Amino acid sequence: MIGGSPSDGKLAYRLIGRLHPRRWLAPLLMSAGPMVVALLVTGVLLVMMGVNPLEYYGYIVRRGLLSPSGLQASLTRMGPLLLIAASLIAAFRAGLWNLGGDGQFLLGAVFASASAPALLAAGTPLWLTLLAASLVGAVIGGLWAVLPALLKAWQNINEIITTLMMSFLAISLSNLLIKNVFFDPGTTVPQTINLAYADRLPPLFDSHVSSGVLIGLFALLLVHWLMTRTALGLQLRVVGANPGAAIHAGLPVIGLTVLALALSASLAGLAGAVEVLGVQGSVRADWNPAYSLVVVPLVFLARLNGFGTLALVFIFSVLSIGSESAARRIGVPNHFTLVTVAVLLIVMALTERVAGRRREKKGG
């Protein structure tokens, strides 16, 4: 080979192969296609409601992305969503279904909201208070997943059922704590003691963007690296793919199962802490944004890839903030975004079914 060694030629060949359109075009279409179809279907629903879809989507883009206040709100909304996305990726890549994220989120928010004012009243420095309250939220969320993890590891009880049941219990327990233990006696509405704006997570660059978005971004990239580039991540994936093979390989299946679900739940609890310490300031009774189940299709649409999830979470945040404004100005229901997510789930399922049949035909 002229001007280089054979190994250089092989490396160049591999790089060219990775850049070939067939390597990246199909995954891109599998991710972007369902989203485009979902937007078209919801556009038809908007027409049936007497709303111009172009006006609606245009308003969402202007309010959620192009306006300075809307963009800042969208970036702030990303903080807890990124943490929940990291939580789901940690579980799904380990072959586990943690569908109790909403309960873990609420418990983390409640305990973080209760601990922060108490620590400040005891004279704890602000930075240490925020750090400790965030850790409290993460630990509480993680502990709430230990029982489903043990039931899965010891008795092979479906974690979908147990995490959902624990989520319902967590939501009820959160409301009970707010109304009877952590309530603010100075308010008429049942809620925890409000954290002053100056005592919350600091904003970024003299803006209104909560620094929680950086916490979420760091957690998402860290989980992506952990699950794809480390020996621990490989062990977790092996346990999720084939527990029997993992046992024969000498892997501690029970410990890894508990670790994966606890890590996932801890990130969901941290998401609740970030939301209350950075944005809400307090937790009201019966408050439940239900972020976890909304983020599930985004994570799957990104094929459990951290970078793809980051892009989709940003798009969803813009859509969410913009639709809240559209609900006031155009008259479209505020929860119409959930309709888009539901349609997206259906389209994703159909897309995966069609792709599966094509793979079966090729294999046959």
Side-chain angles (χ1 to χ4, degrees):
M1 182 175 179
I2 300 175
S5 65
S7 60
D8 294 335
K10 292 180 180 179
L11 178 60
Y13 180 79
R14 291 176 182 174
L15 291 175
I16 293 173
R18 291 180 180 179
L19 293 176
H20 195 279
R22 291 181 180 177
R23 296 294 300 273
W24 55 267
L25 186 58
L28 178 62
L29 291 176
M30 289 291 290
S31 297
M35 181 172 293
V36 173
V37 174
L39 291 176
L40 291 176
V41 172
T42 51
V44 173
L45 296 177
L46 287 169
V47 171
M48 296 173 62
M49 295 167 57
V51 177
N52 186 338
L54 296 180
E55 179 184 359
Y56 175 73
Y57 292 135
Y59 189 84
I60 285 177
V61 172
R62 290 196 303 272
R63 297 299 302 171
L65 179 62
L66 300 182
S67 70
S69 60
L71 178 59
Q72 292 180 47
S74 297
L75 292 174
T76 297
R77 177 68 56 84
M78 287 180 67
L81 296 181
L82 289 175
L83 282 163
I84 291 174
S87 163
L88 294 172
I89 290 176
F92 292 157
R93 279 192 174 271
L96 298 169
W97 286 77
N98 178 20
L99 297 186
D102 287 334
Q104 297 150 11
F105 175 94
L106 275 178
L107 280 179
V110 169
F111 277 89
S113 179
S115 59
L119 289 171
L120 287 175
T124 307
L126 178 59
W127 69 270
L128 185 57
T129 294
L130 294 175
L131 176 61
S134 299
L135 290 176
V136 167
V139 170
I140 292 297
L143 290 175
W144 200 250
V146 171
L147 180 58
L150 292 176
L151 291 174
K152 172 67 175 179
W154 285 343
Q155 302 296 327
N156 197 29
I157 297 178
N158 194 315
E159 73 278 8
I160 297 177
I161 298 174
T162 55
T163 53
L164 277 175
M165 290 176 63
M166 292 294 287
S167 183
F168 295 141
L169 288 174
I171 293 172
S172 299
L173 177 60
S174 297
N175 289 323
L176 180 66
L177 291 173
I178 293 171
K179 296 176 181 179
N180 295 279
V181 181
F182 298 143
F183 71 95
D184 183 0
T187 61
T188 56
V189 178
Q191 68 176 44
T192 60
I193 298 176
N194 188 61
L195 192 64
Y197 183 80
D199 296 331
R200 300 178 190 176
L201 291 173
L204 298 177
F205 311 118
D206 196 26
S207 68
H208 294 291
V209 179
S210 171
S211 53
V213 66
L214 292 184
I215 300 175
L217 178 61
F218 175 77
L220 179 65
L221 297 180
L222 180 62
V223 167
H224 178 83
W225 171 80
L226 173 68
M227 301 302 293
T228 61
R229 294 291 186 270
T230 67
L232 176 59
L234 176 61
Q235 292 177 355
L236 291 173
R237 297 201 308 273
V238 170
V239 170
N242 194 330
I247 293 174
H248 286 297
L251 296 179
V253 174
I254 294 178
L256 289 173
T257 301
V258 173
L259 174 62
L261 268 180
L263 173 62
S264 175
S266 295
L267 290 169
L270 180 60
V274 165
E275 175 72 4
V276 72
L277 297 176
V279 181
Q280 302 294 334
S282 63
V283 182
R284 290 191 176 188
D286 301 319
W287 173 73
N288 182 13
Y291 286 150
S292 182
L293 294 180
V294 172
V295 177
V296 169
L298 304 181
V299 170
F300 276 110
L301 196 62
R303 300 299 187 269
L304 306 185
N305 181 279
F307 298 100
T309 301
L310 173 62
L312 291 175
V313 166
F314 175 70
I315 293 173
F316 177 78
S317 298
V318 171
L319 183 64
S320 177
I321 294 299
S323 64
E324 290 176 2
S325 181
R328 297 188 295 268
R329 297 297 180 88
I330 301 180
V332 177
N334 186 27
H335 297 296
F336 189 76
T337 305
L338 298 180
V339 176
T340 305
V341 173
V343 174
L344 180 59
L345 276 172
I346 297 172
V347 175
M348 282 175 56
L350 294 175
T351 302
E352 289 293 337
R353 180 58 179 167
V354 172
R357 287 187 174 181
R358 288 182 177 178
R359 287 193 295 267
E360 290 174 2
K361 289 182 179 179
K362 289 182 179 179

